[in-house]
Structures are given as structure tokens and as C-alpha cells.
Amino acid sequence: MNEDAMDEEEILLKLKEYKSNDLSYSSGRILGSMCSGTSSFAKKVYLDFLDSNLGDPGLFKGTKSLENQVIKEIASFLSLENPYGNVVTGGTEANLMAMRSAINTAKLRGIIEKNHEGEVIVPKSAHFSFNKSSDMLGFKLIEADLDEEYKVDISSVKELITQKTVAIVGIAGTTELGMIDPIEDLSKIAIENNNHPDIQESIYLHVDAAFGGFSIPFLRELGYDLPNFDFEYPAVTSMTIDPHKMGMAPIPAGCIIYREKKYLDAIAIKSPYLTSKEQYTIVGTRLGAPSAATWAVMQEMGKNGYIELANNCFVNAHFLANALKKENFKLVTKPQLNLVAFNHEKIETNELARLLEERGWIVSISSCPKAIRIVLMPHIKHTHLVSFLRDLREIKTSLGY
Ligand code: 0PR
């Protein structure tokens, strides 16, 4: 640490140097991210609320109302009129809160004893945040198979249900391929396979819509043939949906939404000396700025803004998918959302990613199956795709294919 105070000019200069090593979304070169930057208006709002702490909401009643409003407005396009939940740091924390609620609910229902290991069934395609949850909460993660379209195989889920099952997870927009699991069928089996005759409720069904939650409803409204995934289905108990992905909000902003208050109550911890007598969230001192900025972005965009955004990303995904097919690349599956994964029968995928990186394109690689994974986020424009495809063609030609 420097002995004496450094002047602001000098600090800013050093910061600029560090920042010059970061990539920018606007370059169009970040092809494997699920974040996309935010509007300058949202950044201004964020700064304005930087000191507000939702860990002590009685001091920041205005910001608390904004958090409630965000949950309510999001739930309004997820078929839920009276939602309960929080704005948290992202999909990982939202999934962790859901799993905590599922386990505590199972204890309350007598499905598992205190300190008894419960089981959560997730699709093989689930995000690694469920592995983190399992590690932290001590439940056993049971992986269900996928069908030929990389969606969860319902019969596999059904076979895996036991007396110890505390939750089933479905995904609306998988991380690696953007596929939508059949939530309607999961809801049915969660109701029909409740193995505890004395318990009325269905098995706890959590939907991870961290990625797809902010686009599927709007694409459906435009008439695209996509399945519903929301609280319309009676077993859906909670949902993760991230404003900092397709919602265009600044990082960190994820949401956990519960169908009923009892699922939030199941994770309440007393905080007697604070302005709120209980806390549900994992963190104590809690940023208010993301709630304010998310609310502001949602007003700035409006429903029509989200419809246009989702459509543009979807159109770009289809443009890319079709162009790749013409170049003899193999699509892993027909894209359901704004995510395209592809490989080439003669070119090793890691090598292709390396050659693309040499030309400045940062892609990610999906593991199941191995493929280049491009997430068509709002910062990726048609012109970026045209130059990406040109580079891809040149790479292919240079390798003799
Ligand atoms: N659920 C799903 C379906 C996800 O895809 C993700 C993250 C999460 C939960 C966890 O969300 P948080 O990362 O907000 O906690 N999906 C992206 C991924 O792992 C996150 C990401 C975003 C990664 C931007 C890289 C990046 O540059 O791919």
C-alpha cells in the first residue's frame, strides 16, 4: 500500500491501464457470455442507490418497495399474481435459496429428518450452481438423463423419484444449449409421484429460468412455438430468473420467486435487533442498487422493448445457425433460444476455439456434447456475425476443409 495519499488523477490513470486489459461487450467479440452490459441510464440509477442496504430494509423503505416491485412485475409475465421473493446476486444464489427452501420444506413435511440427506433430481444439463448448493446444503444430487434433443427425459426423472426426493429441477434455457425442459410434464409427475400418501402437496418443483425467463415469455407472445415453463403449472413452486442476463440489468441481479409465502418462511432466520425481524436471504448487508437499477431498466425497456430484444437475438441465432449449416458445420441441435452450439466432423473443437481466439473471438465450449457455444446476447450484432463467419470460413479453408 502507498504511504501517502495518491491523487485522483493518478489513481484514475492506473485504473484505466487495468481496464484496458478487459474486453468490452460492444466489441462484439464476447461470444460465450450470458451477460451483455447495461444501459447508461441504469448505471446512473445504480450509483444513486449505492449506499442503500436491503439487509436493514426499514432504513431504506423506498428501495425495499423497488425490490418488491421488481419481483411483482417479473412474476406478472410468469403467470403468478402474488409472488414472494428477492432480488439476489444471480442465478447461483437464487438456486441456492430454492434448494434451501426445498430441504427445509421437506423437513417440515416430515419427508426427511433433521440431518438426514435428501435427494434433488436435476437434469444432466443443470448449471453447476446445483453442485455448489449440494456441497453447501448436504443434499444428494441425482442426475436425470436427457432425451435426443438434450431436454430432460421424463421417464428417467420418474424412475429416480424415491422417498427421499425433496425436489425436482427443470430448466428453461439450459446453460450449454439453451434448451427448454418439458415443465408441464415435470409438474404432472411431481404431483402424481408424491410418494408420501399423508402429504397433500406435490414434490417441490423448481424451475431454473435464469437464462430463458426474460425471453421465452416475449418470444411466445410474438407467436414463436415455444413451450410454457411458468407458474401456470401447479407443481412449480419456485423459479430463478436473472435480470442480469436477458433482462439487461447491471450485475449482480438475479431473482428468486416463490409461489407462496410458506416457502420463504421455511428459510427465515430471526434478526431481532434489525428493522426487519427475519431475513430470508443468504447475505446480510445487501445491495439495494441492483433492485433500483433493475426496476429502472424494466421501465426504460417496457414490454415492447423486451419483445424486440428477444426477437433480435433469436433472429441472429437463426441467421448464424443457417449460415453454419451452409458451411458444413454440424449443429448440436436446432436452437430453441438465442444459443447456437456447433462442431465440425474433421476439426477438433478445442483447436477451432483456439484458432478463433487468435483472431480475437472469445467463444466457450459446451461439454455435452463438445461444441463451440455461441450465446447470441444483445451486444452481438448482425455485422459481428458476418465477420465471425468470414473468419470461420478462412480458418476452415486454411485447414484444407
Ligand atoms: N442457471 C443457469 C441456467 C445459468 O446458465 C447460470 C449461469 C446460472 C444458473 C448461474 O447464474 P449466475 O452466474 O448469475 O450465478 N450461466 C452463465 C454460465 O455459467 C453465467 C455466465 C455469464 C458465465 C457470463 C460467463 C459469462 O461471461 O455460462
Side-chain angles (χ1 to χ4, degrees), residues 33-35 90-92 95 127 129 173 175 208 210 242 244-245 373:
S33 167
M34 281 188 172
C35 296
T92 301
N95 286 339
H127 185 258
S129 47
T175 307
D208 181 358
D242 284 358
H244 74 198
K245 294 192 169 74
R373 164 185 174 267

Side-chain angles (χ1 to χ4, degrees), residues 319-376:
F319 166 75
L320 177 65
N322 287 332
L324 287 166
K325 272 194 278 186
K326 279 189 206 139
E327 294 290 336
N328 290 327
F329 286 96
K330 189 169 163 277
L331 298 183
V332 169
T333 181
K334 189 168 170 250
Q336 249 190 323
L337 292 175
N338 49 324
L339 203 161
V340 176
F342 67 95
N343 48 33
H344 192 280
E345 59 172 348
K346 298 267 171 58
I347 310 172
E348 208 278 314
T349 301
N350 285 336
E351 177 62 2
L352 184 54
R354 193 188 63 76
L355 292 168
L356 283 165
E357 188 166 345
E358 260 181 26
R359 291 174 181 240
W361 301 104
I362 313 298
V363 297
S364 62
I365 297 177
S366 68
S367 59
C368 178
K370 204 160 187 187
I372 303 276
R373 164 185 174 267
I374 309 281
V375 194
L376 284 301

